[in-house]
Structures are given as C-alpha cells and as structure tokens.
Amino acid sequence: MRILVFNAGSSSLKFGVYDIPRGGGLVQMQQCFKGSFDRFGAGGCDYRAGLDEGTVTRAPYTDLASATQAVPDMLARAGITGIEAVGHRIAHGGAEFTAATALSAEVLEKIHALTPLAPLHNPANLKAVEIARDVWPDLPQWAVFDTSFHLTNPARAVTYAVPQHWRDAGLRRFGFHGTSHKYVAQRAAEALGRELRDLRLISLHLGNGASACAVALGESIDSSMGMTPLEGLVMGTRSGDVDPGLFGYLSRQMGLGITEIEDALYRDSGLKGLTGSSDMRDVEDRAAAGDADAQLAINIYAYRARKYIGAYAAAMGGLDALIFTGGIGENSPSMRRRICDGLEFMGLKLDHDRNMAVELGAHAAPQIQAYGTRVNVLVTETAEQLMIAREVAQAIRTPQGEALRIPIAVSARHVHLSQCAVDALFGPGYELTPDKPLRQKGHWAARERVVLHGPKGEIANVAILGPLRDRTQVEISRTDGFALGIDAPVRQSGALDGTPHIRLIGPAGQYDTNGLIIAARHIHMNSADAQQIGLSDGDTVNVTLTTSGRGLTFGGVLIRVTDNAFTEMHIDTDEANAAGISGAVEGELSGEAVLRST
Ligand code: ADP
C-alpha cells in the first residue's frame, strides 16, 4: 500500500510518500520520498527533497497553494506512482474525531466549523485537502487530527473552571501535536526496551509551536495546549499561558479590540514578542553576544517548560522518561540543559557530554541522562508524517475505518491434560471422550471432569479441554485462586516455568503438577485478519466492551496469530463479571493498536 501524506502548516508544507510491503504490518512501513517547502515570499520559496535531508534549492512558488499544486509533478519526476490514498494532518478535530477519518463532505464541514479554534492551522490544512481533491479526485483522502491522541485526557484535565453555559457551548481543553507526542512516546518506549503501557513519560515538542504532554501508561493524560493551540509553553510567535485578566485590561485601558489582542497573542508574542525574532537560533546567538532581552527570553522559555515537567510528574505520580523533540528540542543542547537544570531533586539530570553529542537521523533516540540517574532523558526526531501514514493505513485496512469487532469468549476454569495426567486420573491408557467442539478448529471439551484441590479448598466439576498436550496446564481466575488458596500468576498459555503446584483429582486417582495460571487475556486471530488490520503475533491492543451499564476497555490484550484460527478474544470469568457480560458480546478493537517494538 502506498500513501501520500501532507502536513501543511501556516508557513510551510511537508509531504512524504510511505509504502507498506505486500503482506507486511504497519511496523514495516517505509518512507520512499519526502519533500518540504518553506520561507515563502515574493521571490519564491525554499524546497528540500529526497530521503536524506537533501540540499535546499529555490522553487518559484510564492504561497502554499501553488507549492501544493506542484507536488504531483515533483512526485512524477521522482518516479513515484501508484499512490492509493492521501493522508492529511488536521490540527483541530474537536472532541469528535478520535482516529483517522475519511474526508467526506460532512467531515470537511465539521472541520471547517472548528476553524475558529485553530485559526492559523485548520485553514492551511484544509487548503491542502482542497488541492489534493482537485488533483487526485479518485483517491480516498483521510484526516489525522492533532487533537485525537489527547481525547483520553480525564475530565479534570480538560475542563475549564468557567460557567456551566460556557462549558455547554463547548469550551474545554483539547491539546495539540498529538501525532508527534504519540510517535515520540512509542519511539522512546522502543529505545528503552520497555512497554509503553508500563511507562510514565513527558514529551516536550519544542518547534515553532511548542507543547508538553504527559503520557501515563500509554495514554495522553494532559497536555499544555488548551482549547486552542495558544495555551501552554512559550512558542515562536505565541505567548502560551497568560492571565486571562489581561484581555479586560488591554481592552479597557489600552482600547484594543479582541481581534487585535488575539492577533498579538498568536503572531507577535512568544520569542518574537520578547526579542523581535521567533527563531531560537537567532535568539541564542543574540543571547551569546550579550543581548539582555534574548537572555531573558531564553530563561522564560526554559523556566516555563521546567514548570510543566514538575506539574506533569506530579500529575502522574512519578516520571520514567523525558523526551525532547521538535526543532529546538532536537537541536539545542543548551536549551535542553537549561530546561533540566535544577531537576536533580526528582532524579532528572543530564550528562553534559551525551547532551552535547546528540546525533539524530535514521530514527535514532539517544539517551542523555547522567549515568545512574533515575529518569531517562531521550532526544528524538518526530515523525508526524510517518505516524499519519500508519494511522491512515490502519484505518483503511479496518473496513470503513470503523473499529474491528471481535467476538468475546469467556473461558471458565479448565485444564489441559497430558497423557500422563489422564493415566493417573482416569486409569492407564484411558481415552477422553470429546463432547462439545470449541470454536477453535480441532479443539473440544471432554465429557469427563476433574476436581482441583488446593490448601484452602476444592473446586469440583472442572472442564477438560482437548486435544492432549505435552504439559498439563490449569487455568483459573483470580477468584478461584482465593478459593483454592494458591496465588496463580497471569501467564500466556504455555509459559509455565516457575508456576505453582496444584493437585487434580479424578475417578482413578490424583495427579500433582505445576502449571497453574491465570490466562493472560488474548485474541486468537487468523493470519488473514491480522494482515488486514496490520497486526502481528505478539502485538498488544486495547479492546473495548460495550455492555449494558458496565462497559470496560481491556488494555494489553495479546494478539496470537495462527493460520486457521477463529478470530475471537478470550477473557476469564472475573474479567467478564467486571465488564458485566451476559450473553453474546463483541469487543471493539480500537485503532490504537500498540505496535510491538521492532
Ligand atoms: P515547526 O513547528 O514549524 O515544525 P520546527 O520543529 O522545525 O518547527 O522548529 C523550528 C524551531 O527550531 C525554530 O525556532 C528554530 O530556530 C529551532 N532550531 C532549529 N535548529 C536549531 C538549532 N540548531 N539550535 C537552536 N534552535 C534551532
């Protein structure tokens, strides 16, 4: 599958082409072309192309629209054909768009309606959509929203303490740069060799726009931008946090209108407002030459970021890693050092040499914390376009971009027996009687039953599932573990080393064995389904069960792919009770597949 991605900003256009090899999963996605235009002016613009950074050439395009229109030609000259879909970055998707969404007329209208909330960004994004639809009328166009990743933020993080009728009118925090924060969080987990769902991370995206995001156990729980991309950190031309009281003061005392105030906060504030330049390189050069305004601007910039680190570590109750990305985060060792200075008290300290020696490229994510400190600090390039392409590919592979629905099977306690166990329990050479076929081909429940015997009690009438296995495995729920008086670990089927012992009792005798587990929740998936939605054996996903009144999202659901599996999710009786399941239920596998480390 080949996907073209547009990332149109207010003053730049980046684009990239991504391929998934036939039969490959999303993690195998490769970029095959990239280009960018910026510094538009009467004389044209700068153009970079090629997979390496490429040399900068001048191009004759004076604005975003003419540059976007030139993209098909540029792709043709580079020999890029066979594009199957176009993905667009859309800054503001409001509360509705939680995942990649096909750009129908109705969706476009909704995005238009959100423009007042992102006045610098949504119009530029929509311009690219309009041109792409003209140029490739037959290709499906998809939107991936900066806001989607943050829609997991709890109400306490997104609710402004303002009158009810304002909130009823839609005033709330959203957060932006979601695609970037999500990508770098996944990249950091990979680089640390840890599961994202086990980590508490703070990601600092410091580019022309800047935001901080707290990612706890795989989900964004707070971020520094608010209802609009104006709140939070100091940015190139945006103020970030200000006292809302200044609106009244500026209006009454200085006679400024709302539009003037807003324009100044968006376009003439931040580094520009403090120093006259919105470019951190200029500001740093001037500070080094002794300019007091530039020095103060740098101090304010770092101080604001440091405050957010403290706030988010407190919000998450701890911190495992801090991630720097964006033009400033990636390229300014002195800003990284200033931001981290003074955070030793929370186990966060940079190593000077590692910080100075950061080399990015080829998706590197070097660590720059001082040796022996508790909090890891990583620097990595963001890859918003790659992430957009992944999300579009995943949405396309899931029919109609809807969540894939998976039947849920509730496994009551049961045992898988070895021949040895059958001999001991039912008599030498005994053959079990297959009674009911199970949905996994070749599997059955036997007519015979056994008793589980533990130090605290017995459970009778326990099902035996066939066919026989090399090792006996006993699967119970946590509640059963209390009844038996044995603490069983949550394990994947077959991972039996070090598991506790249990006594089985049958009509002909008893059998003592280890192999007592609580089965880790998992989805049996056949290869065709796995390929269609871009999942591989060993991936983990989230599955949401909507039941009457007691719905639940299960995280960390393990994907187990086999050629002819019947695709269904297995949970135990405790999990089923927690979700209030009665009767047949399906789970929704959200588009948020957590990709396995590569
Ligand atoms: P955008 O948000 O538009 O994608 P970028 O992520 O490219 O922006 O970040 C642009 C910012 O990065 C600018 O302020 C620029 O000065 C800064 N930057 C780029 N390289 C360096 C550097 N070597 N040192 C300090 N700042 C840098």
Side-chain angles (χ1 to χ4, degrees), residues 14 205-209 278-281 284 326-328 331-332:
K14 298 173 190 158
H205 177 118
L206 309 177
N208 283 316
S278 64
D279 193 305
M280 185 57 91
R281 280 165 294 201
E284 287 189 347
I328 298 168
N331 297 305
S332 176

Side-chain angles (χ1 to χ4, degrees), residues 142-163:
W142 288 78
V144 173
F145 301 90
D146 270 24
T147 40
S148 298
F149 183 50
H150 304 301
L151 291 178
T152 49
N153 288 185
R156 62 176 178 269
V158 300
T159 308
Y160 289 118
V162 296

Side-chain angles (χ1 to χ4, degrees), residues 188-255:
E190 280 175 10
L192 294 170
R194 305 270 307 272
E195 293 287 341
L196 185 58
R197 64 172 180 267
D198 294 333
L199 292 170
R200 288 161 303 179
L201 306 171
I202 295 173
S203 148
L204 290 180
H205 177 118
L206 309 177
N208 283 316
S211 68
C213 177
V215 183
L217 315 180
E219 287 188 346
S220 166
I221 60 137
D222 204 348
S223 70
S224 59
M225 285 176 168
M227 182 174 83
T228 72
L230 194 51
E231 194 177 331
L233 302 178
V234 176
M235 303 179 223
T237 65
R238 281 171 263 166
S239 61
D241 295 333
V242 291
D243 178 352
L246 63 71
F247 268 80
Y249 183 88
L250 289 167
S251 162
R252 281 188 303 273
Q253 305 299 319
M254 294 174 64

Side-chain angles (χ1 to χ4, degrees), residues 99 114 143 258 336 436:
L114 290 163
I258 293 293
R336 291 194 296 259
K436 279 195 223 119

Side-chain angles (χ1 to χ4, degrees), residues 319-349:
L319 180 63
D320 298 302
L322 172 68
I323 312 160
F324 284 100
T325 194
I328 298 168
E330 292 160 25
N331 297 305
S332 176
S334 66
M335 184 50 78
R336 291 194 296 259
R337 187 185 58 74
R338 279 173 192 281
I339 288 174
C340 294
D341 266 355
L343 295 179
E344 293 85 353
F345 77 93
M346 53 188 276
L348 197 163
K349 186 172 191 294

Side-chain angles (χ1 to χ4, degrees), residues 267-290:
R267 296 187 167 85
D268 294 321
S269 298
L271 294 176
K272 187 173 173 203
L274 292 166
T275 69
S277 170
S278 64
D279 193 305
M280 185 57 91
R281 280 165 294 201
D282 294 345
V283 179
E284 287 189 347
D285 289 348
R286 282 167 46 185

